[in-house]
């Protein structure tokens, strides 16, 4: 049995980038343990250095393969990188990535790489406080880039965009023919689109369909975006600001490493653009606001659960069943007693 580490030891270990202690601290955050909050609070002052990149998209589009290849590209560029896979269906240690075993083994002894799969989305569901806690730890540990892979199923895509500086949406050939199949929400959150599996037929059609959908709003895609929302109304339809970000559609064959360096470069361009345009401040404000909201929700939920147990909920249920009261009135009365 490894001995329990004190909060101070974990904080110190995280800040020194000690992998073992970092892993322990992450486990504490995942388990929402007693001292998780103290650890996060203590390291938070040392965060802000990492560029956080969300990689999202439909199941099986090749996100994990792409992330693995991206990690190598980052290492070749002498940048350290941490990977968080949220609710992975294909674990990095095996599964669909068996073909990459050799490459991953080459990475596993590398102090500049840290890979963590998270089997939980936290007690609230969604990409909530738990994931941003893990990102906080990795940031504090000094990684230059943090890649967060989530399977895009509606809400998860939007949430990753709130947690990341740059959002990459991964598509694969096969849906390009039907523009209606391209979810509008996906286009709204994407800073960069990638059509992976470009070795398959129909890749160019998918690229064109995406480009068409992107430009369907008369060039609005070139205006500064804040996760889909225009920051300010455009003065005129063809006057995209000089410092606007252009959402481009790239192609890759992640399984062969093709197009991966280009993708990394485009991510780096977005990183630079965020800083040069000042947009980084807005994204960080947005990230912080979401983080605060999530933390408050989580804490409120925890407190309410604890106190609702003491409200003799069963008695209220019976009273409603007997039609002595109704759920609407009951909820109001219970809440009044709680807060
Ligand atoms: N033909 C082809 N296959 C690929 C490519 N990239 C990945 N694959 C394969 O696609 C399958 C799914 O790859 P993953 O990387 O696990 O995809 P994923 O998006 O992470 O999947 P989930 O996490 O389950 O959503 C695997 O069998 C990969 O080998 C590619 O560029 N071309
Ligand atoms: Mg995956």
């Amino acid at each position: 049995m490894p001995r329990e580490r004190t909060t101070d030891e974990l904080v110190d270990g995280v800040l020194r980038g000690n992998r073992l202690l970092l892993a322990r601290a992450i486990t504490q955050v995942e388990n929402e343990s007693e001292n998780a909050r103290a650890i996060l609070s203590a390291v938070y002052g040392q965060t802000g250095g990492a560029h956080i990149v969300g990689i999202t998209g439909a199941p099986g589009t090749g996100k994990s393969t792409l992330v693995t290849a991206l990690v190598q590209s980052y290492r070749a560029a002498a940048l350290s990188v941490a990977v968080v896979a949220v609710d992975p269906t294909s674990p990095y240690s095996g599964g669909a990535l068996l073909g990459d075993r050799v490459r991953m083994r080459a990475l596993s002894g590398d102090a500049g790489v840290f890979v963590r799969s998270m089997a939980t989305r936290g007690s609230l569901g969604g990409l909530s406080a738990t994931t941003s806690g893990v990102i906080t730890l990795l940031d504090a540990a000094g990684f230059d880039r943090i890649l967060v892979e989530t399977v895009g199923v509606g809400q998860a895509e939007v949430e990753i965009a709130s947690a990341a500086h740059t959002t990459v949406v991964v598509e694969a050939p096969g849906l390009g023919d039907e523009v209606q199949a391209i979810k509008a929400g996906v286009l709204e959150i994407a800073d960069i689109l990638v059509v992976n599996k470009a070795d398959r037929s129909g890749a160019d059609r998918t690229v064109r369909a995406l480009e068409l959908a992107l430009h369907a709003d008369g060039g609005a895609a070139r205006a500064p975006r804040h996760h889909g929302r225009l920051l300010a109304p455009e003065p005129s339809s063809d006057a995209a600001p000089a410092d606007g970000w252009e959402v481009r559609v790239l192609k890759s064959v992640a399984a062969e490493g093709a197009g991966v360096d280009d993708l990394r470069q485009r991510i780096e361009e977005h990183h630079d653009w965020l800083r040069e345009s000042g947009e980084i401040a807005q994204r960080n404000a947005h990230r912080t606001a979401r983080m605060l909201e999530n933390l408050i929700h989580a804490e409120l939920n925890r407190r309410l659960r604890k106190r609702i147990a003491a409200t003799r909920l069963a008695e209220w249920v019976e009273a409603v069943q007997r039609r002595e009261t109704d759920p609407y009135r009951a909820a109001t009365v219970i809440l009044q007693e709680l807060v």
Side-chain angles (χ1 to χ4, degrees):
M1 269 293 283
R3 89 184 159 81
E4 280 288 321
R5 303 291 181 145
T6 66
T7 300
D8 285 349
E9 278 177 309
L10 289 176
V11 167
D12 186 58
V14 168
L15 294 179
R16 280 187 292 108
N18 178 297
R19 304 172 71 85
L20 178 78
L21 296 176
L22 173 61
R24 294 261 172 87
I26 290 175
T27 302
Q28 303 257 349
V29 169
E30 277 185 318
N31 295 344
E32 299 174 49
S33 79
E34 292 279 316
N35 48 345
R37 198 165 278 221
I39 297 168
L40 290 168
S41 182
V43 303
Y44 191 80
Q46 303 301 312
T47 62
H51 187 72
I52 300 156
V53 182
I55 314 272
T56 190
T61 48
K63 298 177 295 296
S64 299
T65 313
L66 198 55
V67 165
T68 305
L70 270 175
V71 167
Q72 295 171 75
S73 183
Y74 276 115
R75 294 307 290 145
L79 288 164
S80 62
V81 53
V83 175
V84 189
V86 185
D87 274 359
T89 50
S90 45
Y92 282 83
S93 51
L97 282 181
L98 280 177
D100 279 309
R101 227 181 345 190
V102 176
R103 284 195 274 173
M104 272 319 242
R105 195 185 297 144
L107 294 174
S108 64
D110 182 347
V113 178
F114 188 92
V115 179
R116 180 77 171 213
S117 292
M118 289 178 58
T120 169
R121 286 165 180 249
S123 56
L124 282 179
L127 192 86
S128 59
T130 315
T131 308
S132 50
V134 172
I135 292 172
T136 294
L137 291 176
L138 294 168
D139 193 345
F143 288 98
D144 298 316
R145 303 289 180 266
I146 300 173
L147 308 182
V148 187
E149 178 191 336
T150 56
V151 180
V153 276
Q155 194 54 25
E157 286 164 338
V158 178
E159 286 190 40
I160 187 61
S162 296
H165 294 117
T166 301
T167 301
V168 177
V169 175
V170 184
E171 300 276 3
L175 49 76
D177 333 58
E178 311 101 36
V179 177
Q180 70 267 24
I182 300 165
K183 286 175 285 170
V186 163
L187 294 181
E188 293 217 330
I189 60 161
D191 297 303
I192 300 165
L193 280 154
V194 191
V195 176
N196 187 45
K197 306 196 184 184
D199 52 329
R200 296 216 175 144
S201 66
D204 286 325
R205 238 182 308 141
T206 305
V207 169
R208 274 197 303 276
L210 287 167
E211 281 172 345
L212 217 71
L214 272 176
H215 296 106
D217 47 1
R222 283 178 283 119
R225 282 168 161 251
H226 189 63
H227 299 312
R229 265 162 285 133
L230 293 175
L231 290 175
E234 281 177 283
S236 76
S237 63
D238 60 348
D243 64 347
W245 175 254
E246 185 191 354
V247 180
R248 281 193 209 145
V249 186
L250 308 182
K251 280 198 292 189
S252 66
V253 185
E256 293 164 14
V260 175
D261 284 336
D262 287 348
L263 171 59
R264 180 182 56 79
Q265 260 163 38
R266 192 63 184 151
I267 296 171
E268 293 303 296
E269 280 169 23
H270 192 249
H271 168 273
D272 296 342
W273 173 78
L274 286 173
R275 278 155 187 78
E276 284 157 16
S277 66
E279 169 78 4
I280 189 77
Q282 316 218 27
R283 294 230 172 170
N284 278 330
H286 184 70
R287 292 180 60 237
T288 306
R290 288 288 311 184
M291 206 170 160
L292 272 174
E293 262 174 49
N294 282 339
L295 285 169
I296 291 167
H297 276 172
E299 180 61 19
L300 263 182
N301 222 35
R302 195 185 63 79
R303 288 188 197 179
L304 279 176
R305 266 173 219 271
K306 229 164 87 182
R307 292 175 63 180
I308 277 176
T311 61
R312 302 188 308 272
L313 202 62
E315 287 174 25
W316 281 102
V317 171
E318 277 173 34
V320 171
Q321 295 294 84
R322 291 194 298 266
R323 297 296 188 276
E324 289 168 15
T325 181
D326 61 85
Y328 310 96
R329 203 182 316 229
T332 307
V333 174
I334 291 170
L335 263 179
Q336 267 163 0
E337 285 173 10
L338 285 181
V339 292

